[in-house]
Amino acid sequence: MSNTIKIRLATREDEDALVAFNIAMADETEGKRLPQSVVSAGVRGLFDRSEMGFYLIAEIDGDIAGCLMVTYEWSDWRNGCFWWIQSVYVKPQFRRRGVFRKLLEHVTEQARQRVEVCGLRLYVEQDNAAARQTYHSLGMHETAYRFYEQEFTRPVS
């Protein structure tokens, strides 16, 4: 088995893997059971709305080892766009092999090449100590901001 990690832009052919990864991540990190129909619609939704973001895929020997999603947030304070890193997942058999590091390096390089991108952000479940340590070790720092939300129930399309 090779250790060569290749990063590429996800395509619609990756939908099944992205859906499976999102469902597994929610279960592993938060104990949430996500309905496959909702996650499938959500993954397709990003492919249908490329102006909102994109997915990256990490492959080892042709096997999808992991992924992440980037979404965009405009900052009027900075006259620029933050790229939010979300939906990070690495298959268990590929963990501790540098998959997320490669994904982050790739997205950082891509972001730095775009003048409109002012930075990268991500959020992490507060009790996910392993992820927090990983992000810190890769040069990211915790901010003073807290995250709030208000969810709305919507029909699945």
Side-chain angles (χ1 to χ4, degrees):
M1 180 180 279
S2 163
N3 280 329
T4 303
I5 301 166
K6 295 180 183 175
I7 307 299
R8 64 174 175 79
L9 194 61
T11 67
R12 288 184 185 273
E13 288 74 37
D14 299 309
E15 180 183 332
D16 290 344
L18 293 167
V19 170
F21 287 178
N22 275 291
I23 290 170
M25 176 188 44
D27 185 39
E28 287 178 28
T29 61
E30 299 180 40
K32 290 185 178 177
R33 303 272 183 207
L34 300 180
Q36 184 169 351
S37 61
V38 174
V39 178
S40 292
V43 168
R44 282 191 309 274
L46 189 65
F47 284 122
D48 292 342
R49 299 174 195 88
S50 61
E51 71 277 5
M52 296 184 79
F54 59 91
Y55 289 102
L56 291 176
I57 296 287
E59 290 183 327
I60 298 177
D61 294 332
D63 192 6
I64 297 177
C67 68
L68 65 72
M69 177 178 73
V70 171
T71 59
Y72 310 127
E73 174 199 8
W74 181 254
S75 172
D76 53 354
W77 285 14
R78 292 169 182 84
N79 189 32
C81 184
F82 278 101
W83 279 9
W84 277 87
I85 298 170
Q86 301 181 64
S87 300
V88 174
Y89 188 77
V90 177
K91 284 169 130 175
Q93 66 266 36
F94 294 110
R95 292 179 186 165
R96 313 298 305 161
R97 292 179 56 185
V99 173
F100 175 69
R101 176 184 299 274
K102 261 312 209 205
L103 283 162
L104 182 61
E105 287 172 357
H106 183 87
V107 78
T108 301
E109 178 182 319
Q110 294 298 307
R112 288 185 183 279
Q113 292 177 10
R114 296 164 123 13
V115 68
E116 73 275 12
V117 180
C118 61
L120 300 173
R121 287 183 168 167
L122 59 79
Y123 56 86
V124 60
E125 201 277 325
Q126 62 187 353
D127 293 329
N128 191 340
R132 292 172 61 203
Q133 175 57 38
T134 296
Y135 302 145
H136 180 75
S137 73
L138 294 174
M140 300 190 91
H141 65 275
E142 189 171 350
T143 70
Y145 294 105
R146 291 195 183 257
F147 190 82
Y148 291 80
E149 72 179 4
Q150 182 179 15
E151 287 191 54
F152 304 112
T153 303
R154 300 176 337 114
V156 178
S157 53

